[in-house]
């Protein structure tokens, strides 16, 4: 009975680890995309910097160029903010991957404990199985709960 | 009086309200007022002084304030450049908007995975970074700012284009309309035999002069108000519909306003008007510019014989020797060219040849140290005897060609062209000196002259290579010749004309290309500089310095004739050039940088050759 519980928990933990690993990959893909967008912004900022209407000279032209310089500076800051977003996405990916690795490690540990429990007598076996269940439940909590919760990964 | 500044960069002081300017609110003019300080400069004091007017009189004006038009620091607008920049910004706005949308989509796709569940803290950090990157403080806000700036720039560019057309059209309409009315009356009078029997041409000349002075003094002021108000309204790059409507109405009402003025003045005592006109004309020698500009339309109307007949179509006929004939004249250049063809030597009717000889070998000289020094090169040409029909004690016109070699061995040239050398009438052959009044007339008529031909030959004989930069310097007629050479595509294909310095020369009508830097010095009291009837265009490459001389400087000395020539004095122009050398006006700083390679520097040497040009009969020895 106790061994069946461990088996059920392992059945839930393996797809959870796979989902976390897939999420990390998706986050890294998004980070790369954001970095490309930052490069687009930088190129556009360089182009906009040239929009200084060189044939226009007046006090109003000076005011315009001051405004243009502000817009260009904003654009440069935007590119920096996108870099920051990409970094956040990569950090998020690393976080998800760390959780996935923790689940995989927990499954391995729990499986080893279950194997040992099968070889021990009635006194030690149930204790080892309870220990294995604890390891798995803790790992699953770390990735958001039991299998039912993981299936609802679309929640933000 | 609130100072405003026009888009062509001329600093003026004009009333904020008046027959034409009243539609513009005082607040608007006040808002624009700050621009004026940028363009009136005193020596060594930087920007920020203006107490007088280029158009409205000298009351309270500081003596040594230069008014700078055009040049690198000039107030000009290129509507096309502004429209192009607006397009760039518009595109940037779209791109930034698309980036924001793309980034949101990328992050949203990642968020559809288990990521937020397995790493809620990381997901929170991403959400925060996303809001910063694409929200109002990020690409979204930048795209909006970019788009707004693009829209405003496009509107400003369109407004400048529109206003320049408006001001130009208004000026042409007023000058043409008023002068045509006067000419029409003259033409009608001229057809009445009793007028001729009574007083003949004296009546016509007096009537013409009175009409033109009236147009210049009364009408010119009226147009000035509208034009300057329009320019002022646009100085901030904005023109809202109310302002546009007010300006258009003012411009459209100008001819009517002129008619009202005419009726009022006619009703007033004629003597009082004449006295006022004389007084104002004496105070504003440059009103001659308006008089000259009004001559062609006046002649065209007079040619119709009055009665408002259809305007005769004018076409220019090309004649041999580069001459042309257009009747009625379309502009001042046509008029001068027509008179020159009939009266002056050198043209199709009386062609002459010019002979150039070297007056000795090249001699070493000290390179010029600045603009004043460059202008001083013309001093020997303006001296050497009083200006008289026989010439300045010589029958030949001098041309100095100075070779400047810098420390690296690069060669540049300074060509100094002479002022008028003789006051002989254009049709008088009393002197062989080609720097005569006929050359003046042909120069204003934009026809090739004996002096332009002589200058080309002198440069050839001095050894000016096609790729060696040339600075042309000329005072009075020398300035006309210099600008003519710079405006001539054939000459520019032979020599690398780089810059032109003129003083007291009527060169406003000459079309010098933008790759040639031009600095023109003009005194408000110098009527010679107004003879072309037009202001020089205020473009980035073309700078005009106007100086209002102190009264003491223009008063004739004991025994000197009151011929109004004091304002044309070369010594005074050298003083003005010295002010240019000391000024920190951006246009003048840029000019000095442009001509610096022609001036004294570490390791720079110079040598000069003098050439003498004389007229010879065609085909003669």
């Amino acid at each position: 009975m106790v061994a069946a519980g461990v088996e059920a928990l392992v059945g839930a933990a393996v797809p959870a680890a796979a989902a976390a690993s897939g999420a990390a990959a998706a986050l890294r893909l998004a980070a790369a995309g954001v970095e490309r967008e930052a490069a687009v912004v930088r190129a556009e900022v360089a182009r906009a910097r040239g929009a200084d209407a060189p044939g226009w000279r007046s006090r109003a032209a000076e005011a315009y160029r001051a405004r243009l310089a502000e817009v260009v500076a904003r654009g440069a800051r935007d590119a920096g903010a996108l870099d920051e977003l990409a970094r956040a996405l990569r950090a998020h990916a690393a976080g998800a991957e760390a959780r996935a690795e923790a689940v995989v490690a927990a499954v391995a540990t729990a499986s080893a404990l279950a194997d040992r429990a099968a070889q021990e007598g009635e006194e030690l076996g149930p204790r080892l199985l309870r220990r294995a269940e604890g390891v798995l439940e803790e790992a699953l909590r770390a990735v958001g709960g039991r299998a039912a919760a993981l299936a609802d990964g679309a929640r933000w | 009086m609130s100072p405003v500044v026009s888009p062509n960069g001329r600093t003026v002081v004009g009333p904020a309200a008046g027959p034409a300017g009243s539609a513009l609110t005082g607040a608007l003019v006040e808002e624009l007022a700050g621009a004026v300080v940028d363009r009136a400069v005193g020596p060594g004091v930087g920007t920020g002084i203006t107490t007088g007017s280029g158009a409205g009189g000298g009351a309270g004006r500081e003596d040594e304030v230069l008014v700078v038009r055009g040049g690198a620091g000039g107030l000009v607008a290129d509507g096309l450049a502004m429209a192009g920049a607006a397009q760039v910004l518009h595109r940037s706005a779209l791109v930034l908007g698309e980036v924001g949308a793309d980034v949101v989509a990328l992050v949203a796709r990642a968020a559809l995975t288990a990521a937020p569940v397995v790493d809620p803290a990381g997901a929170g950090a991403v959400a925060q970074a996303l809001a910063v990157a694409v929200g109002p403080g990020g690409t979204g806000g930048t795209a909006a700012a970019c788009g707004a700036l693009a829209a405003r720039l496009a509107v400003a560019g369109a407004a400048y284009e529109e206003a320049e057309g408006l001001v130009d059209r208004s000026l042409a309409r007023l000058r043409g309309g008023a002068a045509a009315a006067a000419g029409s009356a003259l033409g009608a009078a001229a057809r009445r035999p009793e007028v001729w029997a009574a007083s003949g041409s004296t009546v016509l000349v007096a009537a013409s002069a009175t009409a033109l002075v009236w147009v210049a003094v009364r009408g010119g002021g009226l147009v000035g108000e509208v034009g300057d108000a329009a320019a002022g309204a646009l100085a901030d790059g904005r023109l809202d519909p109310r302002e546009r409507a007010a300006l258009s109405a003012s411009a459209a009402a100008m001819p009517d306003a002129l008619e009202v003025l005419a009726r009022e003045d006619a009703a007033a005592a004629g003597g009082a008007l004449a006295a006022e006109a004389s007084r104002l004309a004496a105070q504003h020698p440059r009103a001659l510019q308006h008089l000259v500009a009004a001559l062609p339309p006046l002649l065209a109307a007079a040619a119709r014989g009055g009665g408002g007949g259809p305007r005769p179509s004018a076409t220019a006929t090309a004649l041999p020797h580069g001459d042309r004939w257009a009747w009625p004249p379309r502009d001042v250049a046509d008029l001068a060219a027509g008179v020159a063809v009939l009266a002056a030597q050198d043209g199709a009717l009386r062609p002459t040849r010019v002979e150039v000889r070297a007056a000795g070998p090249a001699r070493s000289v000290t390179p010029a140290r600045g603009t004043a020094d460059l202008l001083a090169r013309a001093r020997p040409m303006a001296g050497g005897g009083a200006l008289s029909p026989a010439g300045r004690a010589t029958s030949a016109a001098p041309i100095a060609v100075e070779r400047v070699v810098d420390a690296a061995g690069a060669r540049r040239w300074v060509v100094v062209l002479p002022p008028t050398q003789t006051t002989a009438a254009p049709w008088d052959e009393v002197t062989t000196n080609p720097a005569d009044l006929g050359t003046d007339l042909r120069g204003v008529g934009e026809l090739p002259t004996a002096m332009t031909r002589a200058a080309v030959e002198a440069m050839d004989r001095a050894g000016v290579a096609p790729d060696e930069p040339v600075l042309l310097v000329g005072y009075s007629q020398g300035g006309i010749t210099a600008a003519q050479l710079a405006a001539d595509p054939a000459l520019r294909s032979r020599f690398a004309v780089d810059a032109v310095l003129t003083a007291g020369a009527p060169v406003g009508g000459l079309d010098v290309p933008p790759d040639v830097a031009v600095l023109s010095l003009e005194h408000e009291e110098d009527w010679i500089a107004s003879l072309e009837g037009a202001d020089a265009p205020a473009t980035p490459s073309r700078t005009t310095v106007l100086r209002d001389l102190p009264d003491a400087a223009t008063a004739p000395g004991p025994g000197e004739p009151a011929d109004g020539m004091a304002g044309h004095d070369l010594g005074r122009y050298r003083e003005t050039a010295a002010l240019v050398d000391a000024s920190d006006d951006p246009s003048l700083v840029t000019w000095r940088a442009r001509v610096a390679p022609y001036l004294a520097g570490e390791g720079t040497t110079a040598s000069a050759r003098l050439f003498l040009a004389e007229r010879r009969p065609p085909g003669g020895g």
Side-chain angles (χ1 to χ4, degrees):
Chain A
M1 293 291 283
V2 178
V6 171
E7 194 175 340
L9 284 170
V10 168
V14 170
S21 187
L27 288 167
R28 288 205 171 87
L29 206 60
V34 169
E35 281 166 352
R36 280 195 299 276
E37 297 293 341
V40 169
V41 169
R42 286 199 170 87
E44 202 54 45
V45 165
R47 194 170 290 116
R49 191 174 284 126
D52 64 349
W56 184 21
R57 287 187 177 77
S58 74
R59 206 174 174 206
E62 287 172 20
Y64 161 72
R65 291 192 184 103
R67 194 79 59 84
L68 177 65
E70 286 171 14
V71 168
V72 165
R74 276 193 71 152
R77 280 201 304 275
D78 292 346
L82 288 172
D83 287 342
E84 193 55 45
L85 174 61
R87 275 194 290 276
L89 285 164
R90 289 193 190 283
H92 192 18
E97 201 153 53
R99 301 293 192 281
E101 285 167 1
V103 171
V104 169
V107 166
T109 302
S111 297
L113 286 172
D115 287 346
R116 267 189 68 195
Q119 295 165 9
E120 295 295 335
E122 287 212 0
E123 187 182 341
L124 191 56
R127 285 174 55 197
L128 285 173
L129 284 175
R130 279 197 297 277
R131 173 72 181 134
E133 284 176 356
V135 167
L136 283 170
E137 281 176 348
E138 190 180 346
L140 284 173
R141 269 200 302 277
V143 295
R146 292 186 174 269
L150 291 172
D152 192 18
R155 285 185 311 167
W156 181 250
Chain B
M1 297 278 272
S2 301
V4 296
V5 64
S6 65
N8 66 6
R10 182 163 191 165
T11 306
V12 297
V13 173
S22 55
L24 296 171
T25 64
L28 176 62
V29 175
E30 287 302 323
E31 181 190 340
L32 302 169
V36 74
V37 300
D38 293 336
R39 308 294 298 150
V41 293
V45 295
T47 58
I49 300 175
T50 185
T51 54
S53 152
R61 188 187 184 95
E62 294 197 358
D63 288 342
E64 303 303 339
V65 170
L66 302 180
V67 174
V68 183
R69 298 176 62 242
L75 184 62
V76 295
D78 182 340
L80 288 178
M82 293 162 77
Q87 277 184 345
V88 170
L89 284 178
H90 180 66
R91 184 205 128 103
S92 297
L94 292 178
V95 168
L96 289 172
E98 285 170 5
V99 164
D102 289 349
V103 167
V104 169
L106 282 167
V107 176
R109 269 199 295 275
L112 285 172
T113 66
V117 180
V118 299
D119 180 21
V126 166
Q128 196 174 4
L130 180 68
V132 170
V134 301
T139 54
T142 306
C146 217
L149 197 56
R152 192 160 166 181
L153 182 63
V155 169
Y160 269 108
E161 294 277 300
E162 179 181 287
E164 287 191 1
L166 176 68
V167 173
D168 289 348
R169 284 195 301 275
S170 300
L171 277 169
R173 192 171 168 188
L174 179 67
R175 269 186 183 154
S184 183
L186 286 175
R191 291 194 308 175
R192 298 177 63 176
E194 64 271 24
V195 171
W196 290 100
S199 45
S201 59
T202 306
V203 169
L204 277 178
V205 170
S208 303
T210 304
L212 289 175
V213 168
W214 186 86
V215 167
V217 172
R218 301 285 269 164
L222 189 61
V223 167
E225 286 172 11
V226 176
D228 292 338
L234 290 161
D236 69 342
R238 288 177 305 186
L239 190 67
D240 64 35
R242 186 179 54 80
E243 291 167 352
R244 180 179 290 109
L247 283 173
S248 298
S250 299
M254 268 195 298
D256 293 338
L258 192 70
E259 196 180 327
V260 170
L261 271 180
R263 274 203 298 273
E264 288 173 359
D265 288 345
L273 173 63
E276 185 192 15
S278 301
R279 182 179 60 78
L280 291 173
Q283 286 177 356
H284 305 289
R286 292 181 66 81
L288 182 66
Q289 179 174 305
H290 299 289
L291 300 185
V292 173
L295 272 172
L298 185 140
L299 284 173
R304 291 202 302 271
R311 176 180 285 271
S313 60
T315 53
T317 305
L319 301 173
H321 299 273
D323 283 2
R324 72 174 185 283
W325 176 259
W327 185 258
R330 298 162 300 184
D331 51 26
V332 175
D334 272 356
L335 182 60
V339 176
V341 165
L342 294 175
Q345 298 188 77
D346 223 22
L349 296 184
R350 290 193 297 156
T352 62
R353 195 165 61 79
V354 66
E355 186 178 278
V356 177
R357 66 177 189 277
R363 59 187 177 79
S364 176
V365 295
T366 305
R369 291 183 302 276
T371 309
D373 242 12
L374 285 169
L375 203 53
R377 265 51 180 164
R379 186 171 52 178
M381 302 175 179
L387 196 55
S388 70
R392 294 184 190 273
T394 172
S395 59
I399 298 170
V401 183
E402 185 173 318
R403 188 182 66 191
V404 181
V405 183
D406 67 17
R411 304 201 317 177
R412 292 177 178 81
W413 300 84
V414 178
V415 178
V416 185
L417 299 150
T420 306
Q421 303 282 297
T422 163
T423 55
W427 52 87
D428 195 340
E429 296 175 6
V430 68
T431 176
T432 57
N433 194 319
D436 57 7
L437 293 181
T439 291
D440 286 327
L441 206 51
R442 292 181 65 82
V444 174
E446 300 171 19
L447 301 177
T449 70
M451 286 310 298
T452 55
R453 297 201 302 276
V456 170
E457 186 170 343
M459 290 163 73
D460 261 339
R461 292 181 57 175
V464 180
D467 60 340
E468 293 172 347
V470 176
L471 165 61
L472 299 167
V473 177
Y475 156 64
S476 195
Q477 182 191 103
I480 303 176
T481 305
Q484 266 191 292
L485 291 168
D488 181 0
L491 179 109
R492 290 200 311 278
S493 69
R494 290 180 61 185
F495 300 108
V497 178
D498 177 41
V500 174
L501 169 62
T502 74
V507 294
L510 289 162
D511 189 16
V512 181
D515 58 330
V516 179
V518 181
L519 175 67
S520 296
L521 310 181
E522 296 184 10
H523 291 160
E524 297 283 359
E525 295 77 7
D526 182 5
W527 56 270
I528 300 274
S530 301
L531 286 175
E532 84 280 49
D535 282 335
T539 63
S541 65
R542 201 153 174 182
T543 306
T544 302
V545 170
L546 298 170
R547 182 185 173 209
D548 197 352
L549 292 172
D551 289 344
T554 54
E560 288 180 0
D563 56 3
M565 291 295 283
H568 190 61
D569 180 67
L570 177 59
R572 294 292 178 199
Y573 273 114
R574 287 174 52 210
E575 291 172 7
T576 305
L579 295 175
V580 166
D581 285 333
S583 171
D584 60 2
D585 181 273
S587 296
L588 301 181
V589 170
T590 302
W591 160 261
R592 291 203 299 271
R594 180 72 170 255
V595 298
Y598 299 89
L599 305 177
E602 188 74 35
T604 301
T605 60
S607 62
R609 289 189 75 184
L610 185 66
F611 295 89
L612 297 173
E614 270 191 276
R615 285 191 197 282
R616 292 281 184 251

